[in-house]
Amino acid sequence: MDGSVIKGEDSLQGALREEVSVEDTILMDNLHLIDEDGYLIRAAMLAFYKDPEKWVTGSYIKIGYFGKSDSDLVYQDEVHGPLIEQVDKTVDLVYTKYMKALIDYEGVQRIEQFMFHKDAFREILLNAIVHKDYSSYNPIQISVYEDKIYIWNDGEMPPNLDSTDKLFMKHSSKPFNPKLANVFFKSGMIEAWGRGFEKIREACALYDGPLPEYEINEAGIMVLCKACDRYLELIPAKKKVDSIISDERIMSGKMSELRKEPIVKIVNYLKDNEEITTAKGVEITGKSEAQVRRYLKVLW
């Protein structure tokens, strides 16, 4: 019986795939990506071709992590391929390699806190792709720091949208690349009513974080995304834990991953309290008195 059910599901899925599948030519025509002479326009190549840089130099995204100064480039990556695929690849890369979450606790619940909400970052990146001037041959550039992110693209905004305040007011949607924007709209990735900025506002509100700041001029569009207060409060605790873990005494003891998390809980408690007792350590870590005393000895 189970086998017949699975077979039926497979048949249904196959029928659905056949129903929604169309030839590439029909798809391109439906997306208005074919000109009157029957040739694909540039937006089609940028959105779907596996190597758009073959025809348009700079149609990729460059990411770098910077340390103590703008010249202190620690590591970098590039995201290539069709624009329609670059968005998710870039978001995944930034939020795993470049912007790792800090750990906080609400009671016993473990919370992963990023400096900037992922949904807001994704909307800003989509805006950069849709508003970029691809004739400039410059890639979109993302610079990540400990407490902020810069996103730059060589593009343009409508003349009436020349400030952060105006962008976050209700306004009409007027992308620099309307054909390309239509592809992303039809794919469900962007809004057609200029609601992208409202979605950024909503996402930032979830973190109680500041709205991104836009600098728009003839050199392009620079977006500054500052870390939320909750993330900034966790940075000192992370540095203290990192220092503890790198200490020779701890390294010589080959401290296990299981022992790191209780120490983080103790350090987080000490952010708001001048001292901690063994009993309180037992309460917040769930470990024995002997284990808590060892953790406290490591800290002091």
Side-chain angles (χ1 to χ4, degrees), residues 197-217:
F197 286 95
E198 184 57 33
K199 292 174 72 173
I200 293 172
R201 185 197 302 276
E202 292 169 357
C204 290
L206 294 175
Y207 273 6
D208 291 325
L211 292 175
E213 300 173 9
Y214 285 74
E215 181 180 346
I216 304 168
N217 54 45

Side-chain angles (χ1 to χ4, degrees), residues 61 63 86-95 98-99 115-128 140-144 149-151 199-200 203-204 212 214 223 225:
I61 298 172
I63 311 168
Q86 287 185 21
V87 179
D88 288 335
K89 288 181 180 179
T90 301
V91 173
D92 290 343
L93 182 59
V94 168
Y95 278 79
Y98 285 80
M99 202 192 327
M115 75 161 87
F116 193 74
H117 200 286
K118 185 185 293 187
D119 291 348
F121 176 81
R122 190 172 189 275
E123 286 295 324
I124 294 169
L125 181 60
L126 282 164
N127 279 336
I140 292 171
Q141 299 173 28
I142 301 173
S143 304
V144 184
I149 313 165
Y150 287 101
I151 304 169
K199 292 174 72 173
I200 293 172
C204 290
Y214 285 74
V223 188
C225 307

Side-chain angles (χ1 to χ4, degrees), residues 98-163:
Y98 285 80
M99 202 192 327
K100 296 179 181 178
L102 301 183
I103 306 303
D104 196 10
Y105 291 87
E106 291 183 358
V108 297
Q109 185 178 4
R110 186 176 186 268
I111 306 295
E112 290 190 344
Q113 179 66 57
F114 288 101
M115 75 161 87
F116 193 74
H117 200 286
K118 185 185 293 187
D119 291 348
F121 176 81
R122 190 172 189 275
E123 286 295 324
I124 294 169
L125 181 60
L126 282 164
N127 279 336
I129 290 174
V130 169
H131 287 279
K132 179 184 172 182
D133 180 0
Y134 286 91
S135 67
S136 68
Y137 307 125
N138 293 315
I140 292 171
Q141 299 173 28
I142 301 173
S143 304
V144 184
Y145 295 76
E146 181 182 49
D147 58 355
K148 60 182 177 287
I149 313 165
Y150 287 101
I151 304 169
W152 177 85
N153 82 88
D154 198 344
E156 295 183 21
M157 284 290 192
N160 61 312
L161 299 176
D162 58 358
S163 69

